[in-house]
Amino acid sequence: MKKFSNVKGLFVLLFALILLLAACGSTDESGSNSDAENNETEETSDENAEQSESETTGEAGEKLVIGFSQVGAESEWRTANTKSIQNAIKDAGHELKFSDAQQKQENQIKAIRSFITQKVDAIVFSPVVETGFETVLQEAKDAGIPVFLADRAVDVEDDSLWVTFLGSDFVEEGRKAGRWLVEEMSDQEGPVNIVELQGTVGSAPAIDRKEGFEEIISGKDKFEIIKSQTGDFTRAKGKEVMEAFLKSEGENIDVLYSHNDDMAIGAIQAIEEYGLKPGEDIKIIGVDAVKGAFEAMAAGKMNVTIECNPLFGPQLVDLIERHFEGEELDKRIAVEESMYTMDQAEELLPTREY
Ligand code: AHR
């Protein structure tokens, strides 16, 4: 009887040892997640919660773990874009790891490194600025993790560091703004004094929208950009900088060209507080076509907005899946876009999705 209970005791001990070893193994795996940044959140659908390693290998048709490093939440446009991408990833049954960079490049670099440590299958990356990402993108490539650029491009020599870019043609958006202005002012004698609210310094949309606009007005002597400064794509800064423009140039200003609608909306407030009529005394051009711009246009306070469509989440996820199915993707894929004027605003406002 004693002998039997000794053998039984040995079995119990062995079983406990096996349990202990298994527990150690799983601590190691989840331990890698502790590298995640504070601003990083994991959004996992229920059925993914118990995901085994073989389910996340990133092969065709498999569930993927996708790290998404977003610029921030600086504008209406950005909020709509974040939702579109997050929903598309989750709706397709993939696992999302999300990080909001709060418009800081160093946060994005940390987030991408954290995604690499966590061995995600793919990284979606919308860079705050164009330059300075070579090293971290090389690290992703060395780890065998494909990077998909969403919305904004990077300026790197080696374009094998990313799979494809899906987003808008920002230069063309700037051209559209310039063409609208040239047409609108065709009967007007010069000078036409323009103030410009630029987006985030060093960002692709700020660089490209400026370039496209200047390309159209250059050589046409009556147009002059008399002031140009960044408003960092936010309403608060747009208002602040417009106040400064008004202080130094006052009624000299004929046109505001704003690199996004949020800054234009902030500027409209500054113009009204100054005692001028936005949309009449000062023509207002914005970019994005967010609801707020349609409201301002319907109220006669803004003249035109150039569309920049943020709702490309489903298209992006489709591209990621096609990559994992072995398809060779084009290096640049453009989102189709339009332009809307004041007279269309009231009719279109109820149909706007963002
Ligand atoms: O990169 C797209 C730009 O970024 C949008 O025009 C702007 O609103 C956003 O913040």
Side-chain angles (χ1 to χ4, degrees), residues 12 47 68 186 225 239 253:
V12 170
E47 71 272 25
F68 171 24
S186 57
I225 299 179
K239 179 169 188 266
I253 303 170

Side-chain angles (χ1 to χ4, degrees), residues 50-123:
E50 304 260 313
Q51 211 163 28
S52 76
E53 204 164 288
S54 64
E55 282 174 312
T56 61
T57 51
E59 284 161 18
E62 301 286 345
K63 261 176 202 161
L64 302 170
V65 179
I66 302 175
F68 171 24
S69 170
Q70 178 61 295
V71 170
E74 72 284 5
S75 60
E76 272 188 59
W77 187 99
R78 186 65 56 196
T79 311
N81 178 249
T82 301
K83 265 197 207 147
S84 171
I85 297 176
Q86 287 180 329
N87 289 344
I89 290 174
K90 287 188 277 180
D91 290 350
H94 302 303
E95 183 182 333
L96 167 70
K97 291 180 186 293
F98 178 71
S99 173
D100 173 344
Q102 293 158 11
Q103 285 187 282
K104 292 199 177 78
Q105 179 169 40
E106 67 262 30
N107 287 347
Q108 285 204 296
I109 292 173
K110 278 188 210 157
I112 293 172
R113 290 212 166 110
S114 164
F115 292 152
I116 296 170
T117 311
Q118 293 174 68
K119 297 185 168 54
V120 298
D121 297 307
I123 292 174

Side-chain angles (χ1 to χ4, degrees), residues 71 73-78 103 126-127 150-152 168 170 173 200 203-206 209 232-234 259-262 287-288 290 308:
V71 170
E74 72 284 5
S75 60
E76 272 188 59
W77 187 99
R78 186 65 56 196
Q103 285 187 282
S126 185
D151 165 42
R152 295 184 182 180
S168 308
F170 296 136
E173 289 170 354
T200 303
S203 69
R209 287 173 186 163
D232 211 13
F233 282 130
T234 68
H259 288 191
N260 82 345
D261 290 337
D262 278 75
V287 183
D288 280 352
V290 296
C308 179

Side-chain angles (χ1 to χ4, degrees), residues 221-236:
D221 288 344
K222 72 177 181 188
F223 296 102
E224 197 191 337
I225 299 179
I226 54 170
K227 290 271 170 197
S228 182
Q229 207 179 304
T230 180
D232 211 13
F233 282 130
T234 68
R235 279 186 196 200

